[in-house]
Amino acid sequence: QFVKGEDGTLIGNNFPICTAPGNQYWPHLDFDPVLNNYLIVFEDWRNPDNGDIRGVFVDSNGNFVDAPTSGPDHTFGICTHQYNIYTCSVAYNYKRLVYLVVWGDFRNDPQSSSWTGADVFGQLIAADGTLLPPPSPPDSTVNFPIANHSDYYESVSDVTYNDITDEFFVAYGTSVGYVLGQ
């Protein structure tokens, strides 16, 4: 739903971002002022055994803008790992024309069935939706770890962009009650 900034008036009607069968949770979005697009990311449980992180671009008129790998429903995969992933957040760096998406990820503890046992992973995405590799990938995967500590487990995370320092800041909660940043 678009909302007028000065007085809160609703503009147009609300509209679905993803109508695929299954459950979608935790939507988060950021805006690209260069292309005039929003990237909406969300947890997607079309596969009942594990969640994925998917994204969709919408322009300022509410029209879908397909990425190079968008499916028929206009969404594209950001993380489709075989183990549960949950929550997500996105921030846009308009100087580098790149988004950073972060989420909790169970790939290092696949036996866990609770909200603990997760690390924080991230994915860089170009303004056109292309998934970008990290600067020095530790392996062949595109997603990369942001926080993984052997003595506790990370869960819900959030990210923002600081244009003064030209860097992203990721904050995340842990199962031992800490809130940390990186």
Side-chain angles (χ1 to χ4, degrees):
Q1 176 70 62
F2 290 99
V3 180
K4 246 184 179 175
E6 64 267 11
D7 62 7
T9 301
L10 302 183
I11 302 169
N13 298 313
N14 60 35
F15 56 94
I17 299 300
C18 180
T19 58
N23 298 317
Q24 289 84 33
Y25 302 101
W26 304 103
H28 197 88
L29 65 117
D30 207 352
F31 181 67
D32 174 351
V34 177
L35 296 177
N36 206 24
N37 290 339
Y38 297 89
L39 172 59
I40 300 108
V41 297
F42 54 93
E43 181 182 343
D44 189 312
W45 285 81
R46 295 178 212 195
N47 178 351
D49 296 326
N50 56 281
D52 296 329
I53 301 294
R54 297 192 68 79
V56 62
F57 285 104
V58 175
D59 69 17
S60 60
N61 295 316
N63 301 310
F64 291 111
V65 178
D66 285 335
T69 58
S70 289
D73 64 350
H74 306 285
T75 70
F76 63 97
I78 295 170
C79 181
T80 55
H81 201 271
Q82 63 182 336
Y83 299 117
N84 289 346
I85 54 183
Y86 62 88
T87 74
C88 56
S89 183
V90 59
Y92 185 67
N93 177 336
Y94 66 89
K95 292 180 179 178
R96 311 280 179 213
L97 306 179
V98 64
Y99 292 92
L100 175 61
V101 179
V102 298
W103 64 88
D105 192 303
F106 281 99
R107 73 183 72 183
N108 291 329
D109 189 2
Q111 305 307 315
S112 180
S113 61
S114 70
W115 281 78
T116 63
D119 300 319
V120 175
F121 270 68
Q123 175 64 58
L124 293 170
I125 302 174
D128 72 350
T130 303
L131 302 185
L132 302 173
S136 299
D139 55 41
S140 60
T141 62
V142 180
N143 308 142
F144 58 95
I146 292 174
N148 54 359
H149 303 281
S150 58
D151 53 343
Y152 52 84
Y153 303 113
E154 290 74 39
S155 57
V156 180
S157 57
D158 198 7
V159 60
T160 191
Y161 171 69
N162 181 337
D163 66 340
I164 297 169
T165 61
D166 192 25
E167 63 189 8
F168 293 104
F169 182 72
V170 179
Y172 48 92
T174 71
S175 63
V176 293
Y178 297 140
V179 173
L180 302 175
Q182 185 157 319

